[in-house]
Amino acid sequence: MSAVNDTKFNYEVFLLTGIPGQGDVHLWISIIFCLMYAISIVGNSLILFIIKTDLSLHEPMYMFLSMLAVTDLGLLIASIPTILRVFLFNSREISLNTCLAQLFFIHSFTFTESSVLLLMAFDRFVAISNPLRYASILSLPRIAKMGLVCILRGVTMMLPLPVLLKWFRYCRVNVLSHSYCMHQEVMKMACSDIRVNNIYGLIITVLTVGLDSLFIFLSYVMILKTVLSIASHKEFLRALNTCVSHFCAVLLFYTPEFSLTLIHRFGKGSSPLFQIVLGYINLLVPPLINPIVYCVKSKHLRSRIIRV
């Protein structure tokens, strides 16, 4: 009888999990998460405010930076409130519909951020290889269209997955190993045939994160080729210096993203604690560090923030 009740329960609710075996330090972890959340929200919001109000920053590089800040804010808003609810109040229940909505937004913003990082690589390539035509190639209307394509790409590619998950039967253990919902984990809770989700999830990951990272790598190869042809040592260093912030953002985003993808699909024997920590790094660290790196490396942005 209890098994029947549990099965019914599983149709409606999932149970989120903090860090297994670390319940006594959940409060301290939640304080760290709160600080990271607050700093990330303030940092990205401040960048958006400065870029919007200062007309001299209405340049392609800063427009792409504002897109990155928006996607980071979206990722934080979609994930952190649920995480803090688990760590602060031990409120673990999440309905199926809420879980599907959360994983949709988390993955959509992730795919969108990958696209934005690719656009930023293209921006650096044009700025270094063809500086005289930089403003005409990357005009503001064209940048707006690029941003819209990034959003549509992330949303349309991710939309079928929660729709498919909605029609699955969930009769296995309903305890998720994270304090937020991810497609890879919710999919494994289903008693239905998940091959379509598995194959489609792999395809869209390759077509978004995989292709974007490949094109970013090719962009840097071409940038390096252009930079090596510069005779002046000073100009050589200046050109490379303009890429440092973006290179840091790429490493912060793709390193944990690729690691998580590989672990979820092939690393069955990996440590669960390592997966959980890597998941939090993937969600929390890029939105926290990106504003700091760009403010440190950009004199124009830093001077305006100090003025504010």
Side-chain angles (χ1 to χ4, degrees):
M1 186 69 179
S2 63
V4 174
N5 290 337
D6 286 344
T7 302
K8 273 176 135 181
F9 180 77
N10 292 343
Y11 287 134
E12 302 170 359
V13 175
F14 288 114
L15 293 178
L16 301 169
T17 304
I19 300 181
Q22 306 295 326
D24 19 340
V25 295
H26 273 189
L27 180 60
W28 297 106
I29 295 173
S30 68
I31 293 172
I32 296 172
F33 284 172
C34 282
L35 286 173
M36 294 175 73
Y37 185 38
I39 294 170
S40 302
I41 292 289
V42 171
N44 286 286
S45 300
L46 188 59
I47 283 178
L48 285 174
F49 174 75
I50 296 294
I51 293 174
K52 184 179 184 301
T53 55
D54 195 327
L55 295 179
S56 66
L57 294 179
H58 288 190
E59 300 175 1
M61 184 180 76
Y62 296 107
M63 293 294 102
F64 290 126
L65 178 57
S66 65
M67 291 182 196
L68 184 66
V70 169
T71 55
D72 280 340
L73 285 172
L75 200 57
L76 287 169
I77 293 169
S79 58
I80 298 299
T82 304
I83 295 173
L84 292 179
R85 192 184 72 185
V86 172
F87 280 93
L88 279 173
F89 309 110
N90 198 31
S91 177
R92 299 175 57 199
E93 292 187 1
I94 184 169
S95 68
L96 176 61
N97 289 334
T98 305
C99 188
L100 295 181
Q102 184 182 52
L103 69 86
F104 168 76
F105 283 110
I106 287 177
H107 290 296
S108 294
F109 280 119
T110 300
F111 292 155
T112 303
E113 182 156 346
S114 178
S115 302
V116 171
L117 288 172
L118 174 58
L119 293 182
M120 296 175 83
F122 177 68
D123 165 73
R124 291 299 83 208
F125 169 68
V126 174
I128 291 172
S129 65
N130 204 344
L132 297 179
R133 296 186 58 209
Y134 177 60
S136 61
I137 293 174
L138 292 174
S139 61
L140 292 183
R142 189 169 291 168
I143 291 172
K145 290 175 184 176
M146 289 177 174
L148 182 60
V149 169
C150 289
I151 295 171
L152 291 176
R153 181 196 188 204
V155 170
T156 53
M157 284 201 162
M158 187 58 205
L159 190 58
L161 290 179
V163 174
L164 290 170
L165 289 173
K166 175 67 177 175
W167 295 103
F168 285 167
R169 290 181 63 252
Y170 298 95
C171 55
R172 295 177 183 171
V173 178
N174 65 328
V175 180
L176 302 174
S177 61
H178 295 76
S179 51
Y180 54 93
C181 294
M182 292 192 305
H183 169 255
Q184 300 95 319
E185 196 171 14
V186 174
M187 172 182 68
K188 293 175 183 176
M189 299 289 170
C191 296
S192 310
D193 186 357
I194 62 172
R195 280 180 296 181
V196 173
N197 274 57
N198 210 353
I199 294 170
Y200 182 73
L202 181 60
I203 289 172
I204 63 172
T205 301
V206 170
L207 290 179
T208 53
V209 178
L211 274 182
D212 292 346
S213 59
L214 175 62
F215 286 136
I216 289 172
F217 173 75
L218 292 176
S219 297
Y220 271 102
V221 170
M222 296 168 75
I223 287 171
L224 193 58
K225 183 180 177 182
T226 304
V227 167
L228 289 174
S229 65
I230 299 174
S232 168
H233 182 68
K234 186 177 180 182
E235 292 296 324
F236 172 85
L237 292 177
R238 183 182 298 173
L240 281 182
N241 192 49
T242 62
C243 299
V244 170
S245 302
H246 177 257
F247 187 71
C248 291
V250 168
L251 286 180
L252 285 169
F253 177 81
Y254 284 106
T255 303
E257 184 67 27
F258 277 129
S259 302
L260 273 177
T261 301
L262 292 173
I263 287 172
H264 278 295
R265 295 192 179 276
F266 309 111
K268 293 183 179 178
S270 61
S271 167
L273 181 60
F274 177 71
Q275 293 184 34
I276 292 168
V277 172
L278 196 59
Y280 289 128
I281 291 173
N282 188 41
L283 280 178
L284 296 173
V285 173
L288 173 70
I289 302 298
N290 285 341
I292 297 173
V293 171
Y294 274 94
C295 289
V296 168
K297 295 302 296 180
S298 172
K299 292 180 181 178
H300 299 293
L301 193 60
R302 185 170 67 248
S303 64
R304 278 151 184 79
I305 288 176
I306 291 172
R307 191 186 306 167
V308 169

